[in-house]
Amino acid sequence: SRFSTHPPALEASLASLAVPPCSHRCAFASTRLARPGHQRRTIERRCVLAAMALLCDVCGYALRARNGAIGRVSVETAPVFVGYQGTDGAYSQIAAENYFASLGSRLKPRGYDSFSELLSAVARGDVEYAMQPIENTTAGSINEAYDLLARMDLHLIGEEVLRVQHCLGGLPGSDVSRIKRVFSHPQALAQCCQFLASLRDCAVLAFTDTAMSVTKVRDEADPAQAAVASERAADLYGLSVLKRGIANQEYNYTRFVV
């Protein structure tokens, strides 16, 4: 619908694809290329890519630009690498799994220590997509994310809104009254500041990631330490859930961009 007439190169390219019609929505066709190096350098090639954006009813093939040519990649076998900040059990990983759920086992999440490392990995081509949180209904905008996105030559191609349900995770046998140090990502701490302020003589300490905070508490094996994270992360790393629903707002959502 974007073109009143098709350039000859577009007609030839579409004819050569010979893609059969299908009622299933292709995950690759519904997501746009995330790295600017994949864009075509001529008007005709850009027209081909624009037409590809309309081919959502594709099954068996994903279309992508590689080394200046249009190629075919089997969507049944090709892995898709998606970066996120944190480690297994992080909210960003959960958001990536939700957004790319149609990929199934082909989704290959890859964690990074910081937002800067994450977005740089996309720019280098180490991963095809990044799941970047940008704002939360409780804590507001994530300024670092906006600053990085403004400086980097990347494209936003989608979004995922995730309900974030924080819990306090500690060593088995511990309880809330014994906690003297709580670790988590600064955003998570901000979202739970009212509960954390109620803990007597407790230091609240920023850490790299929610899930990484859980591994720190597990590895240091100090019953006076706890982490703010997802219940999934607590279960994954063997911590007990000392208290659920600790966010300032019951309905706490984070918006991620892809």
Side-chain angles (χ1 to χ4, degrees), residues 50-61:
M52 288 163 59
L54 305 178
L55 298 177
C56 292
D57 289 328
V58 176
C59 183
Y61 292 95

Side-chain angles (χ1 to χ4, degrees), residues 2-24:
R2 299 184 187 183
F3 308 100
S4 57
T5 59
H6 292 169
L10 175 58
E11 295 285 3
S13 297
L14 294 178
S16 68
L17 294 176
V19 179
C22 178
S23 60
H24 298 287

Side-chain angles (χ1 to χ4, degrees), residues 168-176 178-183 203 205 213-227 239-240 242:
L168 186 70
L171 294 179
S174 185
D175 60 68
V176 174
R178 299 177 62 184
I179 300 303
K180 298 302 178 185
R181 288 175 298 282
V182 176
F183 301 91
L205 304 170
S213 300
V214 173
T215 63
K216 175 180 175 63
V217 172
R218 179 201 61 185
D219 294 344
E220 295 184 359
D222 184 346
Q225 295 187 161
L239 293 192
S240 295
L242 305 183

